[in-house]
């Protein structure tokens, strides 16, 4: 390879399939961490925690087909969906921290209605059922509220999705 081709490769960044793999694996890793926190360390989730799990799964689900697609338009649509979902996840994490954590109950909140409406809490209660109030679920890890880790992951996923949208075909 010439120095010019190396320079072009470094400006382009990570290969597109690797970026899509990040969009699939990072949300699944976040879900796995949440499940370990719940089932090993007994950190029970609230409705907003569970909603963020749903959004992580949705990001992975819309990103997985893009690994197999070669057409640019469907990949861009999936990247846009991933970006919107990442934004929704960021909003859920911020709402959990600044509003819901001060509430004694998450019952019948938007998060509770979405998860219940999807039927995920009854289909897979070990993954998608809320077992704590928002105030009780307010936990810190290394001095940082748990939802801020989620917020950071959603931000990274949003940036990756944005990169996939802006990337030349």
């Amino acid at each position: 390879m010439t120095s010019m081709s190396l320079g072009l490769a470094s400006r382009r960044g990570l290969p597109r399939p690797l970026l899509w793999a990040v969009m699939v694996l990072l949300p699944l890793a976040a879900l796995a961490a949440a499940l370990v926190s719940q089932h090993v360390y007994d950190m029970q989730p609230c409705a907003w925690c569970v909603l963020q799990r749903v959004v992580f799964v949705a990001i992975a689900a819309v990103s997985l087909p893009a690994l197999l697609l070669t057409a640019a338009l469907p990949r861009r649509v999936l990247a846009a969906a991933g970006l919107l979902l990442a934004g929704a996840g960021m909003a859920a994490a911020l709402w959990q921290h600044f509003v819901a954590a001060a509430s004694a109950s998450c019952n019948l909140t938007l998060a509770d209605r979405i998860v219940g409406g999807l039927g995920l809490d009854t289909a897979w209660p070990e993954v998608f059922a809320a077992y704590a109030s928002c105030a009780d679920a307010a936990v810190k890890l290394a001095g940082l509220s748990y939802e801020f880790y989620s917020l950071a992951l959603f931000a990274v996923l949003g940036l990756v999705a944005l990169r996939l949208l802006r990337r030349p075909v």
Side-chain angles (χ1 to χ4, degrees):
M1 286 184 120
T2 67
S3 62
M4 185 170 167
S5 63
L6 285 174
L8 288 175
S10 66
R11 276 189 231 135
R12 287 188 180 155
L14 297 173
R16 184 178 289 115
L18 184 57
L19 292 174
W20 282 114
V22 166
M23 293 290 289
V24 172
L25 297 175
L26 188 59
L28 295 179
L31 177 63
L35 292 174
V36 167
S37 296
Q38 177 182 348
H39 296 290
V40 175
Y41 298 106
D42 199 32
M43 297 168 67
Q44 297 304 312
C46 70
W48 288 96
C49 300
V50 172
L51 180 61
Q52 290 169 65
R53 292 178 184 188
V54 171
V55 176
F56 279 127
V57 169
I59 290 171
V62 300
S63 300
L64 186 59
L67 284 169
L68 306 172
L69 293 172
T70 56
L73 182 60
R75 282 195 321 249
R76 287 187 189 264
V77 169
L78 293 171
L83 180 61
L84 290 173
L85 286 164
M90 289 170 53
L94 289 169
W95 184 270
Q96 178 184 351
H97 182 77
F98 292 109
V99 179
S103 172
S105 173
C106 295
N107 199 18
L108 299 178
T109 63
L110 177 62
D112 192 45
R113 285 185 258 157
I114 291 171
V115 174
L118 293 171
L120 296 173
D121 55 341
T122 54
W124 295 290
E126 58 281 343
V127 179
F128 296 113
Y131 293 107
S133 72
C134 293
D136 292 339
V139 178
K140 291 189 177 192
L141 178 65
L144 192 62
S145 295
Y146 222 64
E147 57 271 14
F148 283 125
Y149 290 101
S150 182
L151 175 67
L153 288 174
F154 283 124
V156 167
L157 291 166
L159 290 172
V160 172
L162 189 61
R163 177 71 178 138
L164 286 163
L165 272 171
R166 296 180 53 139
R167 193 145 223 200
V169 180

